[in-house]
Amino acid sequence: MAPPTLPTSLSPHVCILASADVQQVLEGAGLPPLPEILQCFSPLPQITTRTTSLTSVPHASFALRFSDVVEIENAVHEDEEQRAGRMMDWMGSRISQRCQKWVDMLETPAPDGAKMWRDRTPWWEEVKRCVEGDHVPSSSEGWNHPVSLILAVTTTAANPLQALQDLASRVFDFPPWVDITSLRYFLIIHPSNSPLADPIAEALFNAVKKQYGLHSFLLPLHLPVDPLPSPVPVPALPPRLPTVSSLDSPSLTPQPSGPGGSSISPSPTPPPHPASPMPQAHRPPPLTNKPPEDRPQSPTVHSGSTLRLTQDDIQQIGRFVREFVTMSLVPWMEKCVVEWNENYSSSRRLPSRLFSSTRRLFGASATASSPATPTHGSSPSVSSVTSRFTHGPNSSVSSITSVTSVSTMGGGQVNQQRRLAEFASILGDYKLAISVWETLRKEGRGGSDVLPLLSAPSPALALHADHALSTLRGPQPRQGLGFEAPANAQYRALVYAVRWETGIDRQEFLSPTLEGERWLVKAAYSAEEPPTAILYAHAAFLSELKGGRRRAAFWYLIAAEKLEKTGIKPLAMYFFRKAHDLYQSPPPKELSPSFWESEDRSPTQWAGFPSVLPSIEHELGRLLYTTGDTAGAVKFFLSLLKPSAPHGSQSHPQAANGTVSPLLPPPSRDKVYLEDFRVAFKHFKATEGDAWKKLGLQLPIALCQAKQTRVRFPGDAVEGDSAAWEKLEEDWAAFWSSHGKEKLGRSGRAAVNETFWVDLVLRNPLDTEVTLSGLTVSVRDASAKDAERNPDFVEVEVIDDVVLGAKDTRTIPVAVKCTRPAALTVTHAVYDFISLLPVTESLAVRGRRLNDTPVQRQGKVYAPDVVIKVEVEEVGQRLHAHFVDDRHLVLAQGEYKHQRVWLTNSGTRSIGELWVLGGEEDELWLDGASTDVPEASSSSPPKSEVLQSSNSLAPRQPYRISLEAIHTAPQLAPGDEVQLPFILHAAHHGEQDMSLLFVFRENDDGQFHSTRVTRRYEVRPILKATTSARPSASLDQTYIVNVEVENITGSSNIELKQVSTMSALWECSPVFPPSSMVIPPHQIANVSLGASPWTGGVGASETRDFVARKIRAVVQEDPIDPSEPPPLDLKCTHVAPDSDIVPLHTPATRHFIHCGRRTMTAQATAASHPDIPSRLHRSIFPLYNPSTVDVVLFWELPAQKRAGHILLQGPPLGAGHAALRELVQAAQNMKVKRSMYAETQRERAAILEAVRACDWNREDDPVAVFVKDGTVVEHDFRQGPCHVPVTFALRNLSLTHPARVTLKLAENPEGDPSSNLLPPPYTGRLTQRKILEPLQSYTTQAKLWATRPGCYALDSWTVETEVGELASPPQAHGSSAGPVWRSRQLRYLQRPQAGDRPCVTVVDVGRLGQS
């Protein structure tokens, strides 16, 4: 490891106190002050020092810092916090003044300049020079404390000895915390124009050595020289913060008593200057001794970093500086290190430490152990304030005695141990220095900032740096609060960062072990000052050198934001551009070329970081706009109008006048970008005229969706679902395929003088509102070459204003009319973006990729672009359809509504055949001219009827409209109009679309054409109806069906006109006589119906067999034949309060009920059997399940004269016996073909599970148990206990299967502690068995042995049921055996239901008689 190289700011600080004659001599020779002259000879080459072990340490260069003691006195009294703030402001002002020149220099294509700044940056060099030029002592460290004091006089003085005596006796105005342990050195300058001869000057020098010691030097110079010698280039002096003359404490300099006073003060202090971060020109600049204006006789002017000295003078001064360092300064520092090391070692020895600990723990006095003041030896050098700052005449070295205390001196942290560490570091005794620095660090007195400069690279150095920075800032506030460190902490952190970056080798500093660029970022922290921003910038520069481009871009971005806040815009723009370039540079992709071909992507395609780049570009645009580059700002703002990233955080820019309030929602990022573009572009057009046309501005987003743009002709519906229209056209094709070969012609041509529309689909990808003006399309004649846009025979609509909301998609129709037959091409969409920027978007779509030839397959070859073409021809067959009343329609659920469609033949040929198709769920009734609403019959029809149903799920067929019934002629001639009436039944609540497709042609041989019409309407529910069923205990009916109807309107009474039921196996009758049912708002009405079996119809058993056969084919994966279910008879029963009954066999009512039932069955089937294709449902499942009971509710709103009906799918009645169980078991056990696809096995298992759970495989307990409740028995218990009869009724609810029933009564039941009823003491026969035939009832008697009066609970019984089926036995000759019982392996166990507690009451009449 190479020896460490300390930064210049850590070199010895030498203060110079010169007499007035020295300044006069130098000014007369055109030279700067003495400290600046001596600074030009630093650093010294080839200096050797020694360690405490007398080991020589060679130094390739040994730096020194020279300064004027008067300047130090003026600066040291300034408050450190104030000075740090001024220092940061001063550096910021210097950066602001020079940044434009730096940026121009770096951006100018100069090879030499680029090479010069390849590994360094000018702004960092400026900050380094400012930090290294700081020479004012600090209370926290001793690097700037004076190490030596040079007292300089010349032989031109009237009395050089007296002048030297005055300088030696001067009291220095330093604060108490400044360590003045320093070497005092005496310098006598002997110029050539001195009145003293050389021998006299030598005698004077000998007298000085005799009086003040050997640390003296006689410096002969050839000054002044006429003419002045040629300027000699010297190193530039570091800039220094101008001093503030107003001090916080009074000056300790004694005032002269008068002309004859004994005290002679030095040259007067320069007049005070106001505190300012900018340097004040109260004296000539460093190394530039330009003569004052009042002395024009000066022959030459000194400028630049040069000195006008002869070679002899340069050699003499160099000899003095080297002799001063090698003969005086270094030996004195070595002596101090040796003596201080002895004190340090003695204080660290184990016995003394134990002794001091013993005294501290066992009663030592506070005075003896207090380290408040330093204790010196027997010959103290500091006895008072005066003697502290005054050295004896025979002492050139301050007394270095044994120091037993390590406390800080005068409130600072600079003690003897720290000075020992600093001197050892300067002399190269790194072993001792590291040891002392470690001790100081452990004691919390600093050292963490210096250890990284001296130690070998290791992960511990990063911890030292973190500790040094955290010690500066102190405790941090809780998370989430803004915190900015004080100015002094910011400045000290900056000083540490500069020292680390300068003193540590760059290769080691940037190594993965140290990662020194992160140290600079931590030193910057959250400060907003320009120097801290430069820290981020230099960290980014170093990270870029390492190859960490993303991290460098991020730090460049932070630096630019901080500089922008401070107003340093040129450098902020430069950093924004650097970050932008780094974020746009693609990462290296070492992938196979086949990857890019398979993904159809280009290897060079790289979009950067879309969540970061827009913010950078926005800041660049704002900076360009504020600096006057409006054209550049417009380009940046326009490039920002891009779709936002779908992922990632949405970072919003700050508002112009501050940050966004956290209480308000953040503004849209796109909204800010769009507004900035609008303002900038509007200003540019207003100030520059037509210059914007030369910018070539192109909108980066496409608002027109070319693939979705369509041409719409008259008769094409605008609204409605496109899938619904395709379904209607497919239904028509399927229907007409069995009648003829004519196809439905597509409407793809426009007619002359007929308006057609180009439906532009505009999608706003921005998260803000966008306004377009002058929206139109460009239409050209395809047959003409070089056709002009929008020829004379084409009229194109221009839409003034179109507003697109955020992320909004709208379809804007643009009307086009052509006055003659032509082939037109719609090429572009034209509009003005936000009424400022003209935009033209192509409506062509890229053609398909070609793969026909080997050449096409090897590359990417596409067919020509597909453009929108429109053929305009003479008008032919045209039919326009629209509703007569197109107002917003609001219907009640189930309401009948009359509607009329106006049909107009706008073509040139007649229409002789007209068909109409409705939506799949639309319930429409068209019957020529008859559109009567189903009303009650006046001829008192019977209250029951039989309705024959096709029982098929087949969709409705298209309806052919008889033109003779609605028109006066069998054909609709050109120009004729006709109204088509029909009835709409609003069966489904919610927003609905009624879609009608009219298919027409001229004659039987003509081609079919179509037109569309749609109507949106809203259906609101007014009734909430539910049905339920329970077994009946009465022998007159098997079930009780309860219909509950609730009026959910808020203000209308609803009259329930009629309740009708439909079932293939059950007949319903009212339990109570019907009465008028008017339901007030939010009230409920109940209708109870008794259901009994009905066997008068046909088709029930055939329907079950049909379903079983088709399900067997499904589970066995056999082909499904296209046969449909057999017809089914439905028993219809009507319950009405009067004789006005609406029969269900009327065509309109029957049609509506069939449509409603088909919709319900189709939806339920699709939900229950999703794995069976829907096209096969009509061939597998029937429309009705014979076991169900459907309910039709006819309602009326008398006040509004509105009526309608609601169809309810009721519950299935009768017991089911798993009719498909054997099919499912056989399918599970059968051998099937093995399939390599797991999806096939899963689908088959899902089909079997759906069949097992469907209604056709329903399984129920067929036996209903009824216990007679409420019986009261009177008995005189004086005669003893009695028997109480209990009646049990058992009913088989199955329509097809017998049941074997076993009733068991508990012998000694236990009572329920929570009930007041007594347990039933059954007696007699406790087990009874019976075989119940289908629908058979059985009543049995049981007995209770009542030993005391009370209420006995009739529970503690169980009923075991086994379902069987009757099979005929083999008939032998001459035998007549009955049917044989065969079990279906279905068994059930039934107990009393929870909460159902029938009871019998036994009353003691004997006790009543006595009372």
Side-chain angles (χ1 to χ4, degrees):
M1 170 186 169
T5 302
L6 293 182
T8 308
S9 58
L10 304 187
S11 59
H13 183 200
V14 179
C15 292
I16 299 176
L17 179 60
S19 60
D21 53 303
V22 175
Q23 299 180 8
Q24 294 175 1
V25 169
L26 296 179
E27 289 180 0
L31 294 175
L34 182 59
E36 296 183 9
I37 296 176
L38 298 181
Q39 188 65 51
C40 297
F41 294 86
S42 174
L44 296 176
Q46 303 303 327
I47 299 297
T48 302
T49 60
R50 291 187 303 174
T51 64
T52 53
S53 59
L54 302 180
T55 302
S56 297
V57 179
H59 297 264
S61 64
F62 192 86
L64 294 174
R65 292 179 295 160
F66 296 94
S67 60
D68 191 351
V69 71
V70 178
E71 294 182 4
I72 300 301
E73 288 178 335
N74 292 337
V76 78
H77 283 279
E78 184 180 2
D79 180 68
E80 292 191 356
E81 183 69 22
Q82 177 184 352
R83 177 176 174 80
R86 285 201 314 119
M87 190 74 179
M88 300 293 283
D89 295 341
W90 173 65
M91 286 189 287
S93 65
R94 290 180 61 90
I95 294 171
S96 179
Q97 293 174 358
R98 294 163 172 78
C99 62
Q100 185 63 54
K101 181 179 178 181
W102 294 336
V103 173
D104 295 341
M105 176 182 61
L106 293 178
E107 292 182 347
T108 301
D112 297 339
K115 185 176 181 181
M116 179 191 306
W117 300 109
R118 186 176 300 172
D119 57 350
R120 59 196 182 105
T121 55
W123 41 84
W124 179 247
E125 295 297 324
E126 179 67 21
V127 171
K128 281 172 52 177
R129 293 179 67 247
C130 292
V131 170
E132 291 175 351
D134 184 17
H135 61 295
V136 178
S138 171
S139 61
S140 59
E141 60 181 20
W143 298 108
N144 287 342
H145 290 216
V147 177
S148 176
L149 178 64
I150 298 179
L151 305 178
V153 297
T154 65
T155 56
T156 61
N159 189 352
L161 284 178
Q162 182 61 38
L164 202 59
Q165 177 64 32
D166 293 341
L167 296 180
S169 61
R170 182 182 184 275
V171 178
F172 296 100
D173 190 9
F174 286 147
W177 46 264
V178 176
D179 184 13
I180 60 170
T181 303
S182 59
L183 168 68
R184 182 164 293 196
Y185 198 89
F186 300 90
L187 175 63
I188 302 174
I189 300 175
H190 181 52
S192 59
N193 61 349
S194 174
L196 300 181
D198 293 344
I200 300 177
E202 288 289 342
L204 176 62
F205 174 61
N206 293 331
V208 170
K209 286 197 294 184
K210 182 177 180 181
Q211 182 176 359
Y212 295 104
L214 298 177
H215 297 292
S216 306
F217 191 85
L218 177 64
L219 178 61
L221 297 175
H222 297 283
L223 295 178
V225 179
D226 190 19
L228 293 177
S230 300
V232 179
V234 295
L237 297 179
R240 288 179 177 175
L241 178 69
T243 59
V244 176
S245 60
S246 56
L247 303 179
D248 295 337
S249 59
S251 175
L252 299 179
T253 304
Q255 301 298 328
S257 58
S262 59
S263 177
I264 301 176
S265 63
S267 60
T269 306
H273 298 275
S276 172
M278 300 299 297
Q280 305 294 332
H282 60 274
R283 60 179 179 85
L287 298 182
T288 53
N289 283 333
K290 183 179 295 185
E293 295 180 359
D294 55 350
R295 295 194 302 169
Q297 67 275 11
S298 298
T300 58
V301 177
H302 173 74
S303 61
S305 298
T306 57
L307 278 178
R308 291 186 176 272
L309 289 174
T310 62
Q311 291 297 327
D312 294 339
D313 290 346
I314 293 175
Q315 293 178 2
Q316 289 292 337
I317 297 175
R319 174 172 165 270
F320 156 68
V321 175
R322 174 168 289 276
E323 184 174 334
F324 165 71
V325 173
T326 57
M327 304 299 295
S328 298
L329 182 62
V330 170
W332 177 81
M333 293 179 66
E334 294 173 350
K335 177 182 178 183
C336 292
V337 168
V338 171
E339 295 185 5
W340 288 344
N341 185 35
E342 289 294 330
N343 298 337
Y344 168 74
S345 301
S346 62
S347 63
R348 308 301 294 177
R349 292 193 185 109
L350 185 60
S352 62
R353 292 176 62 188
L354 289 177
F355 178 72
S356 61
S357 301
T358 305
R359 293 186 61 189
R360 183 174 68 252
L361 296 174
F362 295 100
S365 62
T367 304
S369 61
S370 175
T373 57
T375 304
H376 298 275
S378 57
S379 301
S381 61
V382 180
S383 58
S384 63
V385 175
T386 304
S387 63
R388 176 170 180 168
F389 298 103
T390 307
H391 296 267
N394 296 322
S395 175
S396 62
V397 181
S398 300
S399 300
I400 306 172
T401 58
S402 174
V403 180
T404 59
S405 173
V406 292
S407 66
T408 60
M409 294 181 286
Q413 296 185 3
V414 182
N415 53 19
Q416 192 181 91
Q417 287 187 11
R418 183 174 182 93
R419 296 292 280 174
L420 169 62
E422 293 173 352
F423 280 22
S425 301
I426 294 173
L427 296 176
D429 194 353
Y430 300 120
K431 182 177 180 181
L432 173 61
I434 293 175
S435 174
V436 180
W437 285 121
E438 283 286 354
T439 302
L440 292 174
R441 181 188 63 81
K442 294 176 182 178
E443 295 176 354
R445 299 183 180 182
S448 297
D449 57 314
V450 185
L451 285 173
L453 302 174
L454 307 179
S455 304
S458 67
L461 300 189
L463 301 179
H464 288 315
D466 289 343
H467 180 262
L469 296 175
S470 61
T471 305
L472 285 177
R473 301 188 183 101
Q476 304 296 318
R478 62 179 181 174
Q479 188 72 17
L481 297 178
F483 173 74
E484 186 172 356
N488 189 37
Q490 296 180 24
Y491 177 65
R492 299 309 308 170
L494 177 64
V495 171
Y496 292 168
V498 170
R499 291 175 182 172
W500 294 333
E501 197 275 340
T502 307
I504 303 177
D505 181 71
R506 174 166 290 184
Q507 186 175 1
E508 297 177 353
F509 190 67
L510 300 181
S511 64
T513 304
L514 298 185
E515 291 189 337
E517 69 275 10
R518 296 183 181 270
W519 299 8
L520 306 184
V521 173
K522 294 176 182 177
Y525 196 55
S526 60
E528 301 292 340
E529 301 296 330
T532 56
I534 298 301
L535 279 176
Y536 275 105
H538 192 61
F541 175 74
L542 296 178
S543 183
E544 186 180 3
L545 291 180
K546 287 178 56 178
R549 293 177 295 178
R550 301 294 171 260
R551 188 190 310 164
F554 177 66
W555 287 339
Y556 271 132
L557 190 59
I558 297 177
E561 290 178 351
K562 293 180 180 295
L563 289 175
E564 183 189 8
K565 293 179 181 178
T566 57
I568 306 178
K569 295 182 179 179
L571 201 55
M573 292 176 59
Y574 180 80
F575 290 155
F576 274 129
R577 290 194 182 100
K578 289 287 292 183
H580 188 265
D581 295 341
L582 290 174
Y583 275 123
Q584 280 190 324
S585 61
K589 298 186 175 114
E590 299 176 358
L591 298 176
S592 170
S594 302
F595 170 80
W596 305 107
E597 295 179 1
S598 62
E599 295 292 327
D600 194 19
R601 294 175 56 187
S602 172
T604 59
Q605 182 181 1
W606 169 251
F609 289 84
S611 27
V612 180
L613 287 175
S615 299
I616 302 176
E617 295 172 354
H618 183 241
E619 293 297 332
L620 283 172
R622 290 178 58 236
L623 289 173
L624 289 173
Y625 185 72
T626 55
T627 54
D629 189 359
T630 310
V634 167
K635 292 182 179 179
F636 269 114
F637 290 147
L638 183 61
S639 65
L640 289 172
L641 301 180
K642 301 175 183 177
S644 56
H647 301 286
S649 60
Q650 295 291 335
S651 59
H652 299 279
Q654 294 181 347
N657 297 326
T659 57
V660 178
S661 172
L663 301 179
L664 300 176
S668 170
R669 184 172 62 177
D670 295 335
K671 182 177 182 180
V672 176
Y673 298 160
L674 184 63
E675 181 64 20
D676 288 346
F677 169 73
R678 186 188 64 81
V679 172
F681 191 48
K682 186 176 181 180
H683 173 72
F684 186 74
K685 293 181 70 174
T687 56
E688 302 294 335
D690 294 338
W692 63 272
K693 297 180 180 179
K694 301 178 181 179
L695 300 180
L697 301 178
Q698 296 291 334
L699 189 65
I701 57 175
L703 300 181
C704 295
Q705 306 299 308
K707 289 186 177 181
Q708 302 177 19
T709 300
R710 297 290 184 268
V711 177
R712 178 169 50 87
F713 302 99
D716 295 343
V718 179
E719 300 178 353
D721 187 8
S722 59
W725 294 120
E726 293 177 1
K727 180 67 169 58
L728 289 177
E729 293 178 355
E730 292 175 359
D731 292 346
W732 168 259
F735 165 74
W736 193 254
S737 62
S738 60
H739 295 75
K741 297 181 180 180
E742 295 83 0
K743 302 295 183 181
L744 180 61
R746 298 283 181 177
S747 177
R749 296 188 178 186
V752 175
N753 291 325
E754 186 179 54
T755 301
F756 64 93
W757 297 268
V758 178
D759 290 337
L760 293 177
V761 179
L762 303 179
R763 189 180 71 85
N764 179 15
L766 304 179
D767 193 18
T768 185
E769 187 179 90
V770 172
T771 303
L772 309 179
S773 62
L775 177 63
T776 185
V777 294
S778 176
V779 181
R780 301 179 186 273
D781 187 359
S783 60
K785 296 182 179 180
D786 300 331
E788 62 179 0
R789 169 185 164 188
N790 297 347
D792 297 338
F793 57 87
V794 177
E795 299 177 5
V796 183
E797 181 185 10
V798 179
I799 302 175
D800 293 335
D801 291 313
V802 176
V803 179
L804 297 177
K807 304 292 185 181
D808 188 16
T809 301
R810 293 183 58 188
T811 301
I812 307 298
V814 179
V816 182
K817 181 187 290 186
C818 185
T819 58
R820 67 176 177 84
L824 303 180
T825 303
V826 183
T827 58
H828 296 84
V830 182
Y831 57 88
D832 290 339
F833 184 69
I834 61 174
S835 303
L836 292 175
L837 179 64
V839 178
T840 301
E841 291 190 24
S842 175
L843 297 179
V845 180
R846 188 176 69 178
R848 66 179 183 87
R849 186 172 178 178
L850 302 179
N851 296 281
D852 301 332
T853 64
V855 176
Q856 294 174 351
R857 288 190 291 269
Q858 291 175 2
K860 293 181 181 179
V861 182
Y862 296 93
D865 293 344
V866 180
V867 296
I868 301 176
K869 297 181 180 180
V870 181
E871 296 288 338
V872 181
E873 60 183 11
E874 295 293 341
V875 64
Q877 278 194 326
R878 291 286 188 274
L879 181 66
H880 288 177
H882 64 276
F883 281 88
V884 176
D885 184 7
D886 57 355
R887 294 175 297 177
H888 183 60
L889 191 60
V890 179
L891 304 177
Q893 185 176 4
E895 181 180 357
Y896 306 122
K897 185 65 177 179
H898 289 277
Q899 292 290 295
R900 291 180 180 271
V901 177
W902 196 283
L903 303 176
T904 304
N905 185 356
S906 59
T908 58
R909 290 184 292 177
S910 301
I911 296 176
E913 186 176 350
L914 181 61
W915 298 77
V916 62
L917 287 82
E920 188 175 6
E921 296 183 0
D922 294 338
E923 298 184 12
L924 310 175
W925 172 247
L926 298 94
D927 189 13
S930 176
T931 57
D932 296 334
V933 177
E935 295 180 355
S937 175
S938 60
S939 59
S940 300
K943 294 189 176 182
S944 64
E945 57 181 323
V946 177
L947 190 66
Q948 293 181 350
S949 172
S950 62
N951 204 20
S952 174
L953 284 175
R956 300 189 301 273
Q957 294 184 354
Y959 183 80
R960 181 169 183 175
I961 300 175
S962 175
L963 293 177
E964 296 180 355
I966 62 175
H967 190 47
T968 57
Q971 289 187 342
L972 194 63
D976 287 353
E977 298 177 347
V978 68
Q979 290 187 10
L980 175 64
F982 64 92
I983 301 175
L984 169 65
H985 180 238
H988 311 286
H989 64 85
E991 290 286 342
Q992 304 293 332
D993 283 330
M994 177 174 53
S995 302
L996 299 180
L997 178 67
F998 290 92
V999 181
F1000 57 92
R1001 63 179 177 176
E1002 183 178 4
N1003 49 44
D1004 295 342
D1005 298 331
Q1007 184 183 10
F1008 284 105
H1009 302 276
S1010 65
T1011 187
R1012 303 171 180 176
V1013 66
T1014 184
R1015 178 75 184 273
R1016 179 174 289 272
Y1017 60 95
E1018 180 183 358
V1019 181
R1020 299 176 180 176
I1022 61 173
L1023 293 177
K1024 181 180 179 182
T1026 57
T1027 59
S1028 60
R1030 57 182 175 83
S1032 175
S1034 175
L1035 297 178
D1036 297 334
Q1037 58 264 351
T1038 307
Y1039 282 94
I1040 299 296
V1041 179
N1042 185 48
V1043 181
E1044 184 179 277
V1045 184
E1046 180 183 359
N1047 181 358
I1048 60 176
T1049 63
S1051 59
S1052 301
N1053 293 336
I1054 300 178
E1055 182 178 357
L1056 198 60
K1057 299 290 292 183
Q1058 177 179 320
V1059 178
S1060 300
T1061 60
M1062 301 183 302
S1063 179
L1065 294 176
W1066 300 92
E1067 180 181 6
C1068 297
S1069 60
V1071 177
F1072 305 103
S1075 60
S1076 178
M1077 290 180 289
V1078 177
I1079 309 175
H1082 302 295
Q1083 299 298 316
I1084 298 176
N1086 289 310
V1087 179
S1088 297
L1089 304 173
S1092 301
W1094 181 66
T1095 58
V1098 295
S1101 60
E1102 292 83 352
T1103 299
R1104 292 196 184 97
D1105 297 340
F1106 173 83
V1107 173
R1109 184 176 73 255
K1110 292 304 181 74
I1111 292 295
R1112 179 183 292 106
V1114 170
V1115 298
Q1116 292 180 359
E1117 302 180 4
D1118 294 335
I1120 307 298
D1121 62 275
S1123 61
E1124 295 186 353
L1128 185 66
D1129 290 344
L1130 300 175
K1131 181 67 174 179
C1132 303
T1133 306
H1134 313 299
V1135 179
D1138 48 24
S1139 59
D1140 295 336
I1141 296 176
V1142 179
L1144 302 185
H1145 61 79
T1146 58
T1149 305
R1150 183 173 181 174
H1151 173 74
F1152 288 143
I1153 292 176
H1154 181 87
C1155 292
R1157 180 64 189 186
R1158 181 190 177 279
T1159 300
M1160 289 190 296
T1161 305
Q1163 292 177 353
T1165 303
S1168 301
H1169 304 276
D1171 297 293
I1172 299 178
S1174 58
R1175 57 183 174 80
L1176 299 178
H1177 288 176
R1178 59 180 293 184
S1179 302
I1180 300 176
F1181 302 100
L1183 182 64
Y1184 290 96
N1185 188 330
S1187 300
T1188 60
V1189 176
D1190 291 353
V1191 180
V1192 183
L1193 303 177
F1194 291 88
W1195 57 266
E1196 183 179 355
L1197 291 172
Q1200 304 177 16
K1201 296 182 180 181
R1202 301 164 66 182
H1205 78 265
I1206 297 177
L1207 175 63
L1208 302 177
Q1209 183 176 358
L1213 303 184
H1217 305 297
L1220 306 178
R1221 184 183 61 172
E1222 289 78 6
L1223 298 180
V1224 175
Q1225 293 177 353
Q1228 290 176 341
N1229 298 330
M1230 67 180 295
K1231 293 183 178 180
V1232 296
K1233 297 179 181 179
R1234 298 182 62 184
S1235 175
M1236 63 181 295
Y1237 300 106
E1239 291 81 359
T1240 304
Q1241 301 296 334
R1242 286 195 294 266
E1243 289 179 4
R1244 185 173 182 274
I1247 291 175
L1248 291 178
E1249 183 62 29
V1251 170
R1252 184 185 294 108
C1254 69
D1255 291 339
W1256 299 98
N1257 195 39
R1258 184 168 52 92
E1259 179 183 349
D1260 305 302
D1261 187 351
V1263 175
V1265 181
F1266 305 96
V1267 182
K1268 188 175 181 181
D1269 184 19
T1271 304
V1272 179
V1273 178
E1274 297 180 351
H1275 176 69
D1276 187 0
F1277 280 92
R1278 291 177 299 180
Q1279 300 178 3
C1282 68
H1283 287 91
V1284 178
V1286 179
T1287 303
F1288 286 87
L1290 306 177
R1291 172 175 289 182
N1292 184 4
L1293 301 177
S1294 174
L1295 297 174
T1296 55
H1297 290 69
R1300 179 180 293 171
V1301 181
T1302 302
L1303 173 64
K1304 295 182 180 180
L1305 305 176
E1307 184 175 0
N1308 295 313
E1310 297 180 359
D1312 188 359
S1314 62
S1315 176
N1316 297 326
L1317 301 179
L1318 300 175
Y1322 294 113
T1323 185
R1325 185 179 177 183
L1326 300 181
T1327 302
Q1328 301 186 30
R1329 294 178 174 85
K1330 181 67 176 177
I1331 295 178
L1332 299 179
E1333 298 298 329
L1335 299 177
Q1336 180 183 356
S1337 297
Y1338 170 70
T1339 303
T1340 182
Q1341 297 288 336
K1343 295 181 180 180
L1344 293 180
W1345 181 248
T1347 58
R1348 61 189 179 97
C1351 292
Y1352 291 87
L1354 301 181
D1355 53 7
S1356 302
W1357 53 265
T1358 58
V1359 174
E1360 299 177 359
T1361 304
E1362 181 182 6
V1363 179
E1365 52 188 4
L1366 298 177
S1368 300
Q1371 299 290 335
H1373 294 286
S1375 62
S1376 60
V1380 179
W1381 172 269
R1382 189 174 67 182
S1383 174
R1384 278 192 55 81
Q1385 304 300 322
L1386 299 176
R1387 294 180 175 83
Y1388 308 95
L1389 179 64
Q1390 189 176 169
R1391 290 188 175 88
Q1393 296 181 0
D1396 187 11
R1397 300 299 298 275
C1399 64
V1400 60
T1401 304
V1402 181
V1403 181
D1404 188 0
V1405 296
R1407 181 175 299 178
L1408 294 176
Q1410 291 180 355
S1411 61

